[in-house]
Amino acid sequence: MRKRFIARASCCGRLVRYYLLVNAASGGSRMYGILIEGGGSQEKIPAITPSRRRIQSLLEQLVQGCVTPVTVRDVVEDWLLM
């Protein structure tokens, strides 16, 4: 699994870093996930979607909303239901 830095944001006075996770599966297919670090904690959610376009859209929303590691699971679950 590869990790690629996407952005950083100041959320409630704390620096939060956002990463794209890429997991290459057999047959050349890929699954994308996210990793968020900040405030002394981190949350990794691998294999959210096979669509690079959708994961990039999700990451943009997470950065704009200053989503932290503590709340990211709830946000991603809601996003998946849309």
Side-chain angles (χ1 to χ4, degrees):
M1 184 173 302
R2 291 183 298 134
K3 172 175 92 169
R4 188 176 131 218
F5 176 76
I6 298 297
R8 75 180 55 132
S10 179
C11 304
C12 300
R14 294 184 174 160
L15 180 64
V16 178
R17 292 175 302 278
Y18 301 85
Y19 297 89
L20 170 68
L21 299 176
V22 182
N23 189 9
S26 61
S29 64
R30 293 187 174 133
M31 286 297 290
Y32 299 98
I34 58 170
L35 169 66
I36 299 180
E37 298 176 334
S41 64
Q42 75 171 14
E43 187 66 39
K44 179 176 14 176
I45 307 174
I48 295 171
T49 179
S51 170
R52 182 163 180 123
R53 181 185 54 77
R54 287 196 74 212
I55 201 70
Q56 287 175 326
S57 173
L58 173 61
L59 278 163
E60 288 172 13
Q61 292 173 32
L62 295 174
V63 172
Q64 288 174 0
C66 283
V67 175
T68 65
V70 174
T71 59
V72 70
R73 284 212 177 261
D74 292 332
V75 173
V76 170
E77 287 174 6
D78 291 345
W79 179 83
L80 286 169
L81 294 174
M82 293 194 300

